[in-house]
Amino acid sequence: MNNTHKPKVLFVLFGIDYSGAEIVLHRYLKSNPLLEAYIVTAFQNTKIIEEFSHLPIVKDVASLNFKYSIFNRITPVMYKYIFEKKISILLKRLSIDIVYLNNSTELMVGSLIKKKNPNVKVVAHIHDMINSFRNPLRRMSAKKSLKYTDKIIAVSKASQKELSIYNDNVSVVYNGIDKSFFTNQNEKRVKLHRIGFIGSFTKRKGVDILINSIQSLITIDGRKDLSFTFALNKTDDKLLSKYQETLNNLRDNINVLHNLNEEDIKKLLGELDILVVPSRRDPLPTVIMEAMASGVLPIGSIVDGIPEMIGEDGLLFTSESEEELKASIINYSSFSEEKINVYRNKVRMRAEKLFSEDNKLNSIQELLSEIKMNGGDQS
């Protein structure tokens, strides 16, 4: 690589969704003047083009125009041969220094890039817990693909531990959040009674665990003073159908919102006292960072990266334990006004220390410089 120019980095996105990993990348590039960035997607995605094309450091956004089929998500590795041929053309035409595979799906489709282009450095930024993939072929393909990189970036220590079994060159960089969340601080709280869940209505996110706990709190413990807001982006219709009657019966205490944008989420967090994250698997839930930055007290399950995010500044419960979750909610709701605001300040300070976008930008820039100098041999 030429030491006199900004590194030219080709960011590879699968392109089916614009969601978690894509939003995290957008935040990173928005605040980064240190790269010359190019974006390529396997599939045409208007939302991705719109969101990335206006960023100053993004020189171009292109699509390889793959055709969608039901096998895209299950076996993305099947596209690796045609993907490598098309990407290699771009690498030569643009004189790319680093290929940046933005998650595990991109890792699988891009697994031949390093083998066919040994002079190009390849980074994989993994936002998933690979062992949580239900499809065994997808799980096996991801694990095999890990070795065809110069550097792997994990989003949590829990993820690093899992990935290091297959490639020992793994570094942890926590995701960063927009600075506006740190100013999203409303009045001091007198009591804690407004509780939220933000995410997908799915089994993996543990929404059923929370609903069962709420039902017990309201009908058995008589805690009708508590109000709950569910802000949902994706919904498992089968699971929703199972719990629809329960939600209807609890409608005086549960408000359900759908498809909120970032500004809506900020506004909601400004109104909440407690955020519950009852996930069964979750490497590093962005919503915990956003909540802590906003002074919202977290309750999270003891899985994957959640404990290292919350630390001792929030409450944790054993995954699947509805009784422990209920006890955590009752515990928070008993806090005195003084204790509430001490904890609100503690979680804000922890979020600022661990999850600022500046920290992420500097950490990734150091890793890219390391790759530029020695191919990423230091982890």
Side-chain angles (χ1 to χ4, degrees), residues 127-158:
H127 299 260
D128 298 318
M129 299 298 295
I130 288 175
N131 283 330
S132 70
F133 293 167
R134 286 180 294 178
N135 182 280
L137 179 59
R138 180 180 172 84
R139 191 165 59 244
M140 180 182 67
S141 297
K143 291 175 180 179
K144 285 185 175 181
S145 300
L146 287 167
K147 63 183 178 180
Y148 301 117
T149 63
D150 294 286
K151 170 65 71 175
I152 297 170
I153 300 174
V155 296
S156 65
K157 293 176 183 176

Side-chain angles (χ1 to χ4, degrees), residues 57-69:
I57 73 162
V58 175
K59 302 303 180 183
D60 195 14
V61 182
S63 173
L64 302 181
N65 295 316
F66 283 18
K67 292 184 178 180
Y68 182 80
S69 81

Side-chain angles (χ1 to χ4, degrees), residues 141-188:
S141 297
K143 291 175 180 179
K144 285 185 175 181
S145 300
L146 287 167
K147 63 183 178 180
Y148 301 117
T149 63
D150 294 286
K151 170 65 71 175
I152 297 170
I153 300 174
V155 296
S156 65
K157 293 176 183 176
S159 177
Q160 180 190 39
K161 182 178 180 180
E162 176 185 275
L163 297 171
S164 294
I165 297 173
Y166 311 100
N167 186 322
D168 61 5
N169 200 5
V170 184
S171 296
V172 176
V173 178
Y174 289 131
N175 289 334
I177 56 174
D178 193 276
K179 294 177 181 178
S180 60
F181 282 98
F182 291 99
T183 60
N184 187 28
Q185 301 170 15
N186 288 354
E187 76 285 349
K188 289 188 176 182

Side-chain angles (χ1 to χ4, degrees), residues 358-369:
D358 287 343
N359 286 347
K360 177 183 176 177
L361 190 153
N362 292 334
S363 295
I364 290 186
Q365 193 60 29
E366 287 179 10
L367 291 177
L368 296 182
S369 297

Side-chain angles (χ1 to χ4, degrees), residues 27 30 176-182 262 266 290 293 355 357:
R27 287 178 178 171
K30 182 172 68 173
I177 56 174
D178 193 276
K179 294 177 181 178
S180 60
F181 282 98
F182 291 99
E262 187 172 280
K266 287 177 190 174
E290 296 170 341
F355 308 126
E357 192 61 55

Side-chain angles (χ1 to χ4, degrees), residues 1-264:
M1 284 174 59
N2 188 334
N3 291 323
T4 63
H5 68 229
K6 293 180 180 180
K8 288 185 175 183
V9 183
L10 180 66
F11 292 88
V12 176
L13 309 180
F14 203 46
I16 290 180
D17 294 317
Y18 180 80
S19 55
E22 292 76 26
I23 293 170
V24 167
L25 177 61
H26 185 274
R27 287 178 178 171
Y28 165 64
L29 292 178
K30 182 172 68 173
S31 59
N32 189 347
L34 306 174
L35 303 175
E36 185 174 318
Y38 298 83
I39 307 288
V40 63
T41 67
F43 296 88
Q44 182 76 20
N45 187 307
T46 303
K47 178 68 172 176
I48 289 177
I49 293 173
E50 289 175 352
E51 293 294 333
F52 284 97
S53 60
H54 74 277
L55 297 180
I57 73 162
V58 175
K59 302 303 180 183
D60 195 14
V61 182
S63 173
L64 302 181
N65 295 316
F66 283 18
K67 292 184 178 180
Y68 182 80
S69 81
I70 61 172
F71 299 105
N72 295 148
R73 293 180 185 275
I74 299 172
T75 56
V77 73
M78 67 189 290
Y79 295 99
K80 66 182 182 180
Y81 296 102
I82 186 171
F83 190 83
E84 182 277 321
K85 288 181 180 179
K86 292 189 174 186
I87 288 292
S88 292
I89 294 171
L90 287 177
L91 297 181
K92 293 180 175 65
R93 192 177 80 202
L94 299 173
S95 299
I96 293 295
D97 300 311
I98 298 172
V99 174
Y100 196 107
L101 306 172
N102 196 50
N103 207 349
S104 54
T105 301
E106 291 82 354
L107 169 72
M108 286 182 269
V109 298
S111 59
L112 289 180
I113 293 174
K114 183 65 181 178
K115 292 178 70 176
K116 300 293 184 179
N117 302 272
N119 293 327
V120 174
K121 307 304 180 186
V122 176
V123 175
H125 196 152
I126 307 301
H127 299 260
D128 298 318
M129 299 298 295
I130 288 175
N131 283 330
S132 70
F133 293 167
R134 286 180 294 178
N135 182 280
L137 179 59
R138 180 180 172 84
R139 191 165 59 244
M140 180 182 67
S141 297
K143 291 175 180 179
K144 285 185 175 181
S145 300
L146 287 167
K147 63 183 178 180
Y148 301 117
T149 63
D150 294 286
K151 170 65 71 175
I152 297 170
I153 300 174
V155 296
S156 65
K157 293 176 183 176
S159 177
Q160 180 190 39
K161 182 178 180 180
E162 176 185 275
L163 297 171
S164 294
I165 297 173
Y166 311 100
N167 186 322
D168 61 5
N169 200 5
V170 184
S171 296
V172 176
V173 178
Y174 289 131
N175 289 334
I177 56 174
D178 193 276
K179 294 177 181 178
S180 60
F181 282 98
F182 291 99
T183 60
N184 187 28
Q185 301 170 15
N186 288 354
E187 76 285 349
K188 289 188 176 182
R189 302 289 197 258
V190 177
K191 61 179 181 177
L192 301 176
H193 64 101
R194 296 169 294 189
I195 303 160
F197 170 89
I198 300 174
S200 301
F201 197 100
T202 61
K203 195 87 169 176
R204 186 174 77 86
K205 290 295 184 178
V207 67
D208 55 310
I209 301 167
L210 176 57
I211 292 173
N212 292 335
S213 296
I214 294 172
Q215 185 177 32
S216 178
L217 278 166
I218 303 300
T219 61
I220 297 176
D221 295 275
R223 294 303 302 268
K224 295 183 179 181
D225 60 310
L226 301 175
S227 64
F228 296 84
T229 299
F230 285 54
L232 308 176
N233 47 32
K234 296 179 183 179
T235 301
D236 179 334
D237 292 335
K238 186 176 180 180
L239 186 65
L240 179 59
S241 176
K242 179 180 178 180
Y243 282 93
Q244 190 63 65
E245 183 177 355
T246 303
L247 292 171
N248 291 340
N249 292 338
L250 298 171
R251 60 183 174 273
D252 290 341
N253 295 87
I254 296 180
N255 181 33
V256 180
L257 307 172
H258 293 274
N259 300 318
L260 301 187
N261 61 33
E262 187 172 280
E263 289 306 312
D264 294 330

